[in-house]
Amino acid sequence: MDGIEIVLLLLVIAHAFLAIYTIIRIGSTTLFTKKQKRINSWFTVLVPFIWSALVFYILKKESDYSDVRNRPAPSNDFYESGIAMIDSGTRHNSE
């Protein structure tokens, strides 16, 4: 085998592993519909490396949004927020 054949073989093997990993990530996400998952899986196989990088970028953005959804709800407590809740019935009138 020549050096160029070895490099091409290594690129094909790397693409195969990257495509398998990307397809698994696409299948496990809730960001895409079934049709979008199928299309992205095909493009991952047919467009080496570039489409996988695009999908990883999209899925990385999804993980940022999922972090926000998993946070506890904000509290309306005065001590935690630092903002006083003003109620017209409890105001003190200065005389």
Side-chain angles (χ1 to χ4, degrees), residues 1-17:
M1 287 181 109
D2 292 343
I4 191 78
E5 290 175 350
I6 293 173
V7 170
L8 289 175
L9 181 64
L10 290 175
L11 285 174
V12 168
I13 291 171
H15 171 63
F17 282 118

Side-chain angles (χ1 to χ4, degrees), residues 46-62:
L46 297 177
V47 183
F49 301 111
I50 297 168
W51 199 262
S52 296
L54 290 172
V55 169
F56 284 140
Y57 178 76
I58 291 170
L59 294 179
K60 183 177 180 183
K61 290 295 181 184
E62 178 198 17

